[in-house]
Short mmCIF file of all heavy atoms in Angstrom, two decimals:
data_model
loop_
_atom_site.label_atom_id
_atom_site.label_comp_id
_atom_site.label_asym_id
_atom_site.label_seq_id
_atom_site.Cartn_x
_atom_site.Cartn_y
_atom_site.Cartn_z
N GLN A 239 -4.05 7.45 -7.24
CA GLN A 239 -2.97 7.31 -6.30
C GLN A 239 -2.27 8.66 -6.20
O GLN A 239 -1.64 9.15 -7.17
CB GLN A 239 -1.94 6.19 -6.72
CG GLN A 239 -0.72 6.15 -5.77
CD GLN A 239 -1.17 5.66 -4.37
OE1 GLN A 239 -1.79 4.68 -4.26
NE2 GLN A 239 -0.68 6.41 -3.40
N ALA A 240 -2.40 9.29 -5.06
CA ALA A 240 -1.69 10.61 -4.87
C ALA A 240 -0.19 10.36 -4.79
O ALA A 240 0.27 9.39 -4.19
CB ALA A 240 -2.25 11.26 -3.55
N PRO A 241 0.63 11.31 -5.41
CA PRO A 241 2.05 11.06 -5.34
C PRO A 241 2.67 11.47 -4.01
O PRO A 241 2.08 12.19 -3.26
CB PRO A 241 2.57 12.00 -6.56
CG PRO A 241 1.57 13.13 -6.49
CD PRO A 241 0.25 12.50 -6.09
N PHE A 242 3.95 10.94 -3.88
CA PHE A 242 4.71 11.38 -2.75
C PHE A 242 5.74 12.46 -3.28
O PHE A 242 5.77 12.71 -4.56
CB PHE A 242 5.53 10.21 -2.06
CG PHE A 242 6.13 10.47 -0.73
CD1 PHE A 242 5.39 10.83 0.31
CD2 PHE A 242 7.46 10.47 -0.64
CE1 PHE A 242 5.88 11.13 1.54
CE2 PHE A 242 8.10 10.76 0.61
CZ PHE A 242 7.24 11.02 1.74
N TYR A 243 6.51 13.01 -2.39
CA TYR A 243 7.36 14.21 -2.80
C TYR A 243 8.24 13.80 -3.96
O TYR A 243 8.37 14.59 -4.97
CB TYR A 243 8.16 14.65 -1.56
CG TYR A 243 9.16 15.70 -1.96
CD1 TYR A 243 8.75 17.02 -2.23
CD2 TYR A 243 10.50 15.42 -2.09
CE1 TYR A 243 9.66 17.98 -2.59
CE2 TYR A 243 11.40 16.38 -2.52
CZ TYR A 243 11.06 17.64 -2.66
OH TYR A 243 11.92 18.60 -3.12
N LYS A 244 8.97 12.70 -3.87
CA LYS A 244 9.98 12.40 -4.91
C LYS A 244 9.31 12.13 -6.27
O LYS A 244 9.93 12.22 -7.25
CB LYS A 244 10.77 11.13 -4.51
CG LYS A 244 11.58 11.29 -3.28
CD LYS A 244 12.67 12.37 -3.43
CE LYS A 244 13.78 11.84 -4.35
NZ LYS A 244 14.57 10.81 -3.76
N GLU A 245 8.02 11.77 -6.29
CA GLU A 245 7.33 11.49 -7.55
C GLU A 245 6.94 12.73 -8.28
O GLU A 245 6.79 12.68 -9.54
CB GLU A 245 6.19 10.61 -7.31
CG GLU A 245 6.50 9.26 -6.72
CD GLU A 245 5.25 8.43 -6.30
OE1 GLU A 245 4.32 9.00 -5.70
OE2 GLU A 245 5.26 7.25 -6.57
N PHE A 246 6.67 13.84 -7.64
CA PHE A 246 6.28 15.07 -8.29
C PHE A 246 7.46 16.13 -8.34
O PHE A 246 7.29 17.28 -8.81
CB PHE A 246 5.01 15.72 -7.73
CG PHE A 246 5.24 16.23 -6.33
CD1 PHE A 246 5.77 17.50 -6.10
CD2 PHE A 246 4.74 15.55 -5.26
CE1 PHE A 246 5.92 17.99 -4.82
CE2 PHE A 246 4.84 16.01 -3.99
CZ PHE A 246 5.43 17.27 -3.79
N GLN A 247 8.58 15.73 -7.85
CA GLN A 247 9.78 16.62 -7.97
C GLN A 247 10.16 16.88 -9.36
O GLN A 247 10.33 15.99 -10.24
CB GLN A 247 10.96 15.97 -7.19
CG GLN A 247 12.16 16.90 -7.03
CD GLN A 247 13.34 16.12 -6.36
OE1 GLN A 247 13.61 15.05 -6.73
NE2 GLN A 247 13.91 16.75 -5.38
N ARG A 248 10.30 18.10 -9.79
CA ARG A 248 10.65 18.43 -11.16
C ARG A 248 11.86 19.47 -11.17
O ARG A 248 12.07 20.16 -10.19
CB ARG A 248 9.48 19.12 -11.82
CG ARG A 248 8.29 18.21 -12.06
CD ARG A 248 8.57 17.12 -13.04
NE ARG A 248 7.40 16.37 -13.33
CZ ARG A 248 7.13 15.20 -12.63
NH1 ARG A 248 7.94 14.80 -11.67
NH2 ARG A 248 6.06 14.47 -12.95
N ILE A 249 12.60 19.41 -12.26
CA ILE A 249 13.67 20.36 -12.45
C ILE A 249 13.19 21.57 -13.29
O ILE A 249 12.72 21.37 -14.41
CB ILE A 249 14.89 19.67 -13.12
CG1 ILE A 249 15.41 18.55 -12.24
CG2 ILE A 249 15.96 20.71 -13.40
CD1 ILE A 249 16.54 17.73 -12.85
N ILE A 250 13.35 22.75 -12.75
CA ILE A 250 12.90 23.93 -13.46
C ILE A 250 14.17 24.63 -13.93
O ILE A 250 15.06 24.95 -13.23
CB ILE A 250 12.09 24.89 -12.51
CG1 ILE A 250 10.84 24.17 -12.11
CG2 ILE A 250 11.75 26.11 -13.32
CD1 ILE A 250 9.97 24.94 -11.15
N LYS A 251 14.29 24.91 -15.28
CA LYS A 251 15.43 25.49 -15.82
C LYS A 251 15.28 26.96 -15.88
O LYS A 251 14.32 27.51 -16.36
CB LYS A 251 15.74 24.96 -17.30
CG LYS A 251 16.04 23.45 -17.32
CD LYS A 251 16.35 23.06 -18.73
CE LYS A 251 16.76 21.55 -18.77
NZ LYS A 251 17.02 21.12 -20.18
N LEU A 252 16.24 27.72 -15.37
CA LEU A 252 16.26 29.12 -15.44
C LEU A 252 17.31 29.55 -16.45
O LEU A 252 18.53 29.25 -16.32
CB LEU A 252 16.74 29.76 -14.02
CG LEU A 252 15.77 29.40 -12.88
CD1 LEU A 252 16.22 29.99 -11.56
CD2 LEU A 252 14.33 29.87 -13.17
N LEU A 253 16.90 30.20 -17.49
CA LEU A 253 17.75 30.61 -18.61
C LEU A 253 18.18 32.04 -18.45
O LEU A 253 17.35 32.96 -18.15
CB LEU A 253 17.08 30.43 -19.94
CG LEU A 253 16.59 28.99 -20.26
CD1 LEU A 253 15.87 28.91 -21.61
CD2 LEU A 253 17.74 28.04 -20.24
N LYS A 254 19.47 32.32 -18.57
CA LYS A 254 20.01 33.74 -18.43
C LYS A 254 20.21 34.29 -19.89
O LYS A 254 20.88 33.66 -20.74
CB LYS A 254 21.26 33.71 -17.65
CG LYS A 254 21.88 35.08 -17.57
CD LYS A 254 23.25 35.02 -16.78
CE LYS A 254 23.95 36.33 -16.70
NZ LYS A 254 25.18 36.28 -16.03
N ALA A 255 19.66 35.46 -20.13
CA ALA A 255 19.90 36.02 -21.46
C ALA A 255 21.35 36.56 -21.51
O ALA A 255 21.86 37.26 -20.65
CB ALA A 255 18.92 37.19 -21.66
N LEU A 256 22.00 36.20 -22.66
CA LEU A 256 23.33 36.59 -22.83
C LEU A 256 23.41 37.79 -23.82
O LEU A 256 22.79 37.77 -24.86
CB LEU A 256 24.18 35.43 -23.44
CG LEU A 256 24.22 34.20 -22.61
CD1 LEU A 256 24.96 33.09 -23.35
CD2 LEU A 256 24.86 34.43 -21.25
N GLU A 257 24.05 38.84 -23.40
CA GLU A 257 24.15 40.02 -24.25
C GLU A 257 25.35 40.00 -25.08
O GLU A 257 26.44 39.54 -24.69
CB GLU A 257 24.21 41.26 -23.33
CG GLU A 257 22.97 41.43 -22.49
CD GLU A 257 22.99 42.65 -21.55
OE1 GLU A 257 24.10 43.34 -21.55
OE2 GLU A 257 22.06 42.98 -20.91
#
Side-chain angles (χ1 to χ4, degrees):
Q239 177 65 51
F242 194 63
Y243 173 76
K244 297 296 289 290
E245 296 172 318
F246 67 78
Q247 187 184 49
R248 294 291 184 270
I249 297 176
I250 300 177
K251 295 183 179 180
L252 300 179
L253 302 179
K254 178 182 177 182
L256 302 176
E257 298 179 357

